[in-house]
């Protein structure tokens, strides 16, 4: 068989979303790859310029549909910095707990999709089953299972319902037991190791040069985790370890994510204990009134309408389930953000595809891309 | 003489032709009811019964796999159409039947249409060869095992034809993989069969089964069984060896371009072949329809007892396949081929040597000496 | 820490830096001259240990454009923001791809959305927008609504 280009995508089971990986192959060997993005580009950054600060939260849920609360958190942190508003302490703990639950949900979703990629059928549904419990929890305090619209500039929309912490603890206990099963299904199988060991390696140096972050970077031995290095919310007040591995391959990324899930449960347990002991407000007392207005007059001059509000810039960076996400918010004193720019970890991770795909086989592409954990919604924005 | 399927078919044929003939005057009646006509119609009825039985079995098999996979995955499987979803597959089949089958413009017409059809037909033919119980098939062909395996190995050709003619790169890669895989695993399968033939001394499946009345071959020929089962998994293209249609990378591989009834043909044939593989394993290693002597006579002498026990074994074997499917990931092409050529063939050769040794010594460590070994 | 950093930057880069503003949560916002971009990038990576380029973005301020870079240093465990003002007419700046390969896609995106041209970029193609797309959506001149559409939404509170 001669050399040829094949399109893996936009509709292809490997992509887990809507993007196109053009692969140049010679027989089964991958000679070159060229990712084509943009199929899911909705112009969220542009739409944000036409929204109130709180309305952008709606868009954040659509950014990454498996980690909506993490993206809300990311945006809210930068918007609060730009607007110079501080949330009450309880809101920060709730946000942190939400983000960790979201990390669990996202990693379980990743696990389900990843094992499906290498042909393991049953764990896919185990993952879906267990993720449902987390979605139930989200539903109980945000009212939604996927698009939460929960966080607000200056706090969160509402407090946790009665009995939430007990339910959440039960879910944590259940999940910790399930992780053992997950490991036995994957690490206990020789075929899994044959498929995943030594695949898609990317050294720490390459990761840093190509902007690859998150579990991929930590699987190469780096200890970089923004929750430790640059603590936000209440991460400096909980105990947890940074999950790392050495292999820099697919198996190492698997190990890092599994360990991260365990650490997330650890953080959540501490957060639940704190939340039990510290009732209080979840919304800042002094928030400009127009922030909460659904439709303030816009007028024909569009977004040029200015309010006399202090200008500011906000940069937030969080350790999102896929890696390091950043938001840069420019507040020019108007009631809409002048510019919001997001850095998606998946965007950077995919941009390095040449580094970790070339030289392997066509059959290796699904496990490798699976280990990257692609979420196209946040990549294209 | 026991009632065979063919004698049933002849009786039905006689009854039908007799009824038709009685309407007409004697000259025509004679032509209608003569032996050749009766035999011809009987052959058709025989084929129809076989077709119906194998199709029904396949559909039940798919239902069984769906339910079982559901349970493995902590869900219930098909539930709504019919009792416990028994009719779900008929509903699915009806849906596929109603769908338009689209041929890509650049695809080769002849190959595109004939590939799936031939794939299905060649798999169905084997059901006429395999004896299910003493009374099932027409009679003993002296080389029925060889014939069955020969027809069984047509499949890669037709898969490759349909893959190549559908003019799709994914299909082509899938077809290539499929051909490479099936050829690689044909050899160990045949070598494992050689071990069975050596011990039984016959190519006739009927004889092979009857030879196993005293003890089933899976004990003395355990190595050959392992090789045969692994090879059959590859031939049936089931997880962990389902690379040709690896969903995550090749989007169903060689049947990417097929939709509607043509896809149903492929799907059905995959399960037909799974059924055939289980049949062969039961026939060659698990004693066919015979049961050990400690089973009470009442359990083996009721009407159609042979078929009952045979199908029970077949479903148990298939259940193991489903179990494997639910718990193992998929291997990679090069790994699969390496295992095939480098591991399976030496193992198969070893099993042949062991079988030859067994025939010479006629004794087993635990089971004692068996004078009838070697036919 | 911030004062120390700004002293280091001034010492290394001198007049290539137009000013250093404080920015909470980072070491500061370094405004540099666009024509000295490559020197600034190289010095940032090699001398000041900012080995990780996280984000490249652009802002259209109508009268001028701004290109900004967010850098992370593993050694310092801190961010720094670089920012360069570009003219509104034909804005262009040297590509950072040769210093940080990760700039590749970020610059492609910034080019197609904010219309800032990156000189010597190896592969400046459309990324999110279809090939041949003639507009730059994140410019302020690219309106989401026509005025008549806006009137429907207008409501006095």
């Amino acid at each position: 068989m001669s050399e040829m280009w094949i399109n893996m995508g936009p509709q292809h089971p490997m992509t887990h979303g809507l993007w196109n990986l053009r692969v140049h192959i010679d027989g089964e060997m991958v000679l070159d790859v060229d990712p084509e993005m943009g199929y899911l580009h909705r112009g969220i950054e542009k739409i944000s310029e036409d929204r109130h600060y709180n309305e952008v939260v709606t868009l954040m849920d659509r950014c990454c549909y498996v980690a909506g609360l993490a993206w809300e958190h990311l945006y809210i942190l930068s918007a609060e910095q730009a607007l110079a508003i501080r949330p009450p302490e309880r809101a920060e703990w709730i946000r942190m707990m939400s983000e960790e639950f979201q990390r669990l949900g996202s990693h379980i979703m990743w696990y389900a999709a990843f094992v499906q990629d290498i042909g393991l059928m049953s764990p896919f549904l185990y993952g879906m089953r267990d993720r449902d419990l987390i979605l139930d929890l989200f539903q109980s305090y945000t009212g939604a299972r996927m698009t939460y619209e929960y966080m607000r500039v200056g706090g969160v929309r509402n407090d946790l319902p009665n009995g939430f912490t007990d339910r959440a603890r039960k879910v944590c206990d259940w999940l910790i037991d399930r992780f053992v099963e997950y490991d036995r299904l994957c690490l206990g199988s020789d075929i899994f190791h044959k498929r995943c060991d030594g695949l898609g390696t990317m050294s720490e140096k390459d990761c840093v040069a190509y902007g690859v972050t998150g579990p991929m970077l930590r699987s190469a031995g780096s200890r970089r985790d923004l929750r430790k290095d640059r603590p936000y919310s209440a991460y400096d007040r909980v105990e947890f370890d940074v999950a790392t591995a050495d292999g820099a391959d697919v198996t190492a990324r698997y190990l890092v994510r599994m360990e991260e899930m365990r650490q997330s449960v650890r953080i959540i347990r501490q957060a639940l204990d704190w939340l039990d002991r510290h009732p209080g407000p979840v919304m800042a007392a002094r928030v400009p009134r127009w922030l909460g207005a659904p439709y303030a007059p816009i007028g024909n001059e569009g977004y040029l309408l200015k309010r006399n509000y202090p200008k500011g810039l906000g940069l937030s960076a969080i350790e999102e389930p896929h890696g390091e996400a950043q938001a840069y918010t420019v507040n020019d004193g108007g009631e809409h953000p002048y510019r919001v720019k997001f850095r998606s970890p998946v965007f950077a991770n995919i941009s390095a595809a040449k580094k970790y795909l070339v030289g392997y086989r066509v059959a290796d592409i699904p496990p490798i891309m699976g280990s990257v954990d692609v979420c196209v919604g946040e990549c294209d924005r | 003489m026991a009632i065979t399927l063919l004698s049933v078919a002849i009786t039905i044929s006689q009854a039908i032709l007799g009824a038709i003939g009685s309407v007409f005057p004697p000259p025509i009646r004679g032509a209608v009811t003569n032996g050749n006509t009766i035999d011809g119609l009987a052959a058709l009825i025989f084929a129809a019964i076989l077709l119906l039985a194998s199709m029904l079995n396949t559909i039940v098999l798919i239902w069984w796999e769906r339910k079982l996979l559901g349970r493995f995955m902590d869900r219930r499987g098909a539930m709504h159409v019919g009792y416990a979803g028994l009719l779900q597959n008929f509903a699915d089949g009806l849906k596929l039947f109603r769908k338009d089958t689209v041929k890509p413009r650049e695809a080769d017409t002849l190959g595109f249409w004939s590939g799936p059809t031939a794939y299905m037909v060649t798999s169905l033919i084997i059901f006429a060869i395999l004896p299910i119980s003493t009374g099932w098939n027409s009679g003993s062909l002296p080389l029925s095992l060889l014939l069955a395996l020969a027809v069984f190995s047509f499949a890669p050709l037709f898969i490759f034809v349909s893959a190549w003619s559908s003019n799709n790169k994914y299909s082509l890669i899938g077809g290539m993989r499929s051909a490479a895989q099936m050829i690689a695993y044909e050899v160990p399968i045949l070598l494992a069969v050689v071990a069975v033939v050596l011990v039984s001394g016959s190519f006739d499946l009927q004889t092979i089964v009857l030879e196993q009345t005293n003890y089933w071959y899976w004990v003395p020929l355990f190595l050959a069984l392992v090789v045969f089962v692994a090879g059959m998994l590859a031939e049936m293209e089931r997880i962990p060896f389902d690379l040709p249609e690896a969903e995550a990378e090749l989007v169903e591989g060689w049947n990417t371009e097929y939709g509607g009834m043509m896809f149903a043909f492929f799907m059905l044939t995959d399960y037909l072949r799974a059924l055939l593989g289980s049949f062969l394993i039961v026939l060659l290693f698990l004693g066919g329809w015979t049961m050990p002597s400690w089973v009470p006579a009442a359990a083996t002498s009721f009407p159609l007892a042979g078929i009952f026990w045979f199908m029970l074994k077949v479903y148990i074997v298939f259940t193991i396949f489903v179990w494997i499917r639910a718990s193992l990931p998929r291997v990679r092409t090069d790994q699969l081929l390496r295992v095939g050529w480098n591991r399976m063939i030496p193992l198969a050769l070893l099993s042949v040597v062991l079988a030859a040794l067994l025939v010479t010594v006629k004794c087993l460590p635990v089971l004692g000496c068996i004078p009838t070994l070697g036919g | 820490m911030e004062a120390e950093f700004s002293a280091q930057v001034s010492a290394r880069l001198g007049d290539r830096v137009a000013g250093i503003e404080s920015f909470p949560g980072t070491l500061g916002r370094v405004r540099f001259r666009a024509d000295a971009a490559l020197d600034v990038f190289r010095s940032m990576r090699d001398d000041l240990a900012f080995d990780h380029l996280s984000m490249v973005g652009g802002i259209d301020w109508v009268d001028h454009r701004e290109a900004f870079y967010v850098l992370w240093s593993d050694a310092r465990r801190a961010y720094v923001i670089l920012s360069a003002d570009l003219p509104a007419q034909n804005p262009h700046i040297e590509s950072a791809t040769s210093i940080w390969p990760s700039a590749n896609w970020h610059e492609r995106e910034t080019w197609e959305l904010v219309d800032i041209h990156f000189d010597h970029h190896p592969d400046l193609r459309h990324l999110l927008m279809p090939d041949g797309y003639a507009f730059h959506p994140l410019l302020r001149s690219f309106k989401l609504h026509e005025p008549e559409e806006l009137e429907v939404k207008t409501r006095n509170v």
Side-chain angles (χ1 to χ4, degrees), chain C residues 34 58-67 84-94 110-111 113-119 124 136 139:
Chain C
I59 302 173
D60 177 23
W61 290 103
V62 184
D63 57 340
H64 68 280
R65 302 226 175 115
E66 177 189 341
D85 283 347
L86 308 170
Q89 290 300 315
N90 186 23
H92 66 100
I93 189 168
E94 193 65 30
T110 307
W111 165 71
L113 296 181
V114 199
D115 192 20
I116 293 174
H117 196 273
F118 290 91
D119 302 331
L124 207 57
H136 300 280
L139 295 183

Side-chain angles (χ1 to χ4, degrees), chain C residues 2 12 23 29 78 92 94 139 144:
Chain C
E2 283 176 39
R12 305 258 179 212
F23 195 116
R29 182 156 168 267
H92 66 100
E94 193 65 30
L139 295 183
L144 278 183

Side-chain angles (χ1 to χ4, degrees), chain B residues 86-114:
Chain B
L86 252 175
L87 297 180
Q88 180 68 49
N89 290 316
F90 293 95
D92 290 351
L94 208 63
K95 188 203 83 170
L96 286 172
F97 192 70
R98 276 176 35 205
K99 283 179 95 169
D100 193 8
T101 309
V102 182
K103 182 182 85 71
R105 194 186 302 141
E106 300 294 321
D108 181 73
T109 314
L110 182 64
F112 190 80
W113 296 123
S114 62

Side-chain angles (χ1 to χ4, degrees), chain A residues 251-312:
Chain A
T251 318
R253 285 167 209 152
Y254 171 90
L255 292 171
V256 165
R257 287 206 175 86
M258 290 309 283
E259 182 56 28
E260 265 185 32
M261 287 205 263
R262 296 195 169 93
Q263 296 299 335
S264 287
V265 170
R266 207 172 141 197
I267 297 174
I268 289 168
R269 281 179 173 156
Q270 296 173 50
L272 292 173
D273 290 345
W274 191 95
L275 288 169
D276 268 348
R277 289 197 309 270
H278 298 84
V282 292
M283 198 68 197
R286 294 172 62 82
V287 174
R289 196 183 63 81
W290 52 264
L291 261 177
Y295 284 109
I298 293 174
N300 283 356
E301 55 278 65
Y303 23 64
L304 294 178
L305 187 75
K306 293 274 197 293
R307 293 280 174 137
N308 193 15
Y309 198 76
K311 298 181 182 184

